[in-house]
Each structure stands twice: as structure tokens, then as C-alpha cells.
Amino acid sequence: MNNSATGAGGSVGLPPKKKMAIRGSWVLTWQDDRPALLRDHTVYVDDGVITGVTPDRPAAGEEVIEYEESLVLPGMINLHSHIINGAMFRGIPDDARFEDPWMQRLIYQLLMPLGQLTHKTLAKHEVRDLVMLGMLDVMRGGSTTLVDQWHLGQEAVYFDVAEELGIRTYGAPSVLSAANFEIGDDGMPRFDFKPHDSSMLDRAVGVYRAHHGGADGRLGVIFGPHAPDTCVPELLRAVRETANAHDALITIHLSQTPEEVAAVEGRYGKNPVQYLESVGLLGPDLIAAHCVHATDDDLVTLRRTDTAIANCVISFARGGINVPLSRYSGAGIRTGIGTDSHGMNLISELRTAGWFSKLHEKCAYIASAYDLVRAATLVGASALRRPDLGRIAAGAKADLIVASLARPHLQPVWDPVKNLIWKGSSADFTLIMIDGRVIMRDGMCPHIPERDIMRRASAAAAKVWTLAEERGVLSRSIT
Ligand SMILES: [Zn+2]
């Protein structure tokens, strides 16, 4: 075990894949896609795979992990995020008084300029520290699989860090029709589109070839055209052809702001969903993030094409915008859960998605605790075309979480899943296993020097904030 600092080039010391048994007071499984809560069961794991789930106790001599009153859950899937942004912007957009339109100004006056500044000014080891902090946040927040979209160039550290920390992840390098943009006096972006420039897509293909399937299949790459208003038809058609040629997934931000809808309608005479359908991008291999301004007809189109959605409710709630999960899942669309650039805590994200859906539908039983966990496990796995993820069953990957219910806020236990989702937090997780490796045990990550990572990543973020203040990025954006 290596608790030394992980400076540039340093190693974290990944724990080995183990043959062991995890004994749970309750084990959440799915039978025919319906929840089945097993009482006092043992999950057997060997070489990164679940080999059985049975009521019997492990034989003497077998390595066993058992906690008092524990709930064993499938590892959850964060279907859309930007972990660098989560760390860089922590506390900045919260409560910020952007003039309307809030989300458009957040994206183009804060997130993208500060993101570009981060990309241009931080040294490789500083970006690495921020990625480490982000992935640690993701894992401790209950996600064992992460889909993360980032600037091209981040691949230089992203996959190495993921390999070291033990997370399962898909990286999506952003591809745009304009590498740079200017912000006009109205606060809106001006893009200098280069319709036939395929250099970003070519680089993304290079990332795919270099990293997809790496670390025993723990690493993956998804093609990530940024959004309908930043990608011209020539590029989106090329992305579709490239993804088909590689049998790869695609992810895109879709119908995120009214300004995006207006820009796309002005250019092409179609709304963003219609535009994506016209260039052949919709389909079961596409994960569309947000879809806030999708019309009811658009939802029918997304359902017909079996496009999946990543719902990120907190990210929009910050701006007073409700994006209820139930609107999309209720339309029959495969709707998973993402955290976007907010904190990476999946319990918090699920609970908020639940409350907001209940408020939207004015209905108590919509978005139940089990519906929410299902969205973050089975549905996310389906969007990733990974039937071996999001479930505790023989043959599935050994990605799981154990929550301890022996805590005052979770007692007494009538239904452990309801208790965890509606009353618990990610701090209640005591064990996290990914690919058969024990990443966290007794609430600690012994192979990861967490304090060191936090200190260095905070210093890297502070460096960008200082530069941003000097250059007026922050003061212009936030009042
Ligand atoms: Zn996003």
C-alpha cells in the first residue's frame, strides 16, 4: 500500500482484484428489471466479476466483508459530467446573480471562459490534480462509472488518473466547429465556424484508438460533439459516420438553453432535436444531456429513435429551472442521471430529481426511491450498452457500494432503499468496489492520499481564480 504523495508521475498504488465475499443485511438486485431486495445475502466476487448471490454464509477461510445493518447496492453510473468544472467552479455559480438568461450567461460568461483559462494556463500536473479530486469526489459520491466530457488535450492525464484510482470511466473529448469563440457586448458567443475543418474530430479519433478498452476494459471513449449550436451539419454527419465505423457511442448537449434553440432555428429552420434527426445523429447509441427545452413532439422523436437522455437536475435548479426526470422517463425515454458541473454526489442528485419530479407532477408516488436508483444503475448501463453494469448478479462486473444503516438518521429500517435515498447521504457509504477492487473500506480510501490531492487541486483552482480576477473574467460575470 502506498500512502506517499502522488506528485507528477507519482503512483497511487491500485489495490488488487480480490476473491472475496460481501455479506449484506439487504442486497438490491433486479429481477426482470424490477427491484428485488434480498434479505441477508452474500455477494461473491472473483477476478472483477460477481460469481454468485446466495443466502448462505461464506465458507470458513474465505475473505468476508460484513457491516452491521448494511445495504449492498449496484455501483451507480454518472451519465454526464465535467469533473474539472465541478472542482474549478465549486461555490462560484451557486447563488450567483447572473442577469437573464441565467444558464446561457453561466455557460458563456463563466464556465467556458474559465474552462479555457484552466486549459491554457495550468501545467499538466495541476490538471492531473484537479482530475484526481474530481474522480475521488465521483467515487465517494456513489458512482462507480463516470461519463465525463472535457477539452481535447485532457486525455494526456485523464486516463492515467482513472487507471491509477481504479474508477470505471468513459471520456468524451469535446468536438466543435469552432475551436475558439469571442464573447460579444451582449454577452453572447460569436463563433467563427470552419465547416470543413475535421481536425478536432481527427484528434478525438486518435484518443479513441489510444484509450478505448484500456485498463482491462475499465476505460472507454465516447465521441462528444459539443452542442447543436456549436456544431455545423458537416461535422455532425462526420461524427455519425465515425461513430458507426468504430461502433462507438456519442454524447451531446441538447436543447440546453432557449438561446441554443433560437440560434439553431435561425440557421436551419429546425429546432435542435429536429436538426440532430436531420443529420442522422439521433439513435440508441446517443446520450443527449439535458433536453430542457425539448418540446413534447421532440420527446416523441427521442422515444422513437430510442435516444437516451442524461438528466442533470441540480445543475439547472441553481438557476431556478426545473428539469424533472419524470417528464422524460414518463415519455418512455431511457433517462439516466448526470451531475454536470455541480457536486458529484449521486444521492443528493437522485433525491433532488425525486423531489422535483413529485413537485412537477403533483404526485407522491412518482420518482420513487427505486425508480431513482434504477435510473442511476440499469438505465445508465443501458445507455452505455453495458448489460454487465448497474446490477448485482452472477456474470456482472463487481462494481458495488455498501451503505451502513446503523446510524441515527437511518433507523429504524423498514425499507433500506427508501431510507438511504430520502434520508441518507454519500457519507453513509462504507465500502466501494470497482472491478473487484476495494476502493473504499470502512469509509476510508487507504490507497489514495486524499488530503494531498485536495491540497494540490485547491491550489491549482486558486491559481486560475486569481488569473480570472486579474483579467476581469470573474468580476464581469458575477454581480
Ligand atoms: Zn455538460
Side-chain angles (χ1 to χ4, degrees), residues 52-76:
V53 186
T54 66
D56 58 303
R57 284 201 160 268
E62 191 136 14
E63 184 174 351
V64 186
I65 298 181
E66 180 170 9
Y67 295 103
E68 185 192 353
E69 290 207 90
S70 60
L71 169 65
V72 185
L73 293 160
M76 294 190 277

Side-chain angles (χ1 to χ4, degrees), residues 80-82 149 253 256 289-290 340-341:
H80 179 83
S81 77
H82 312 277
Q149 189 156 11
H253 297 94
Q256 194 172 199
H290 311 316
D340 209 7
S341 299

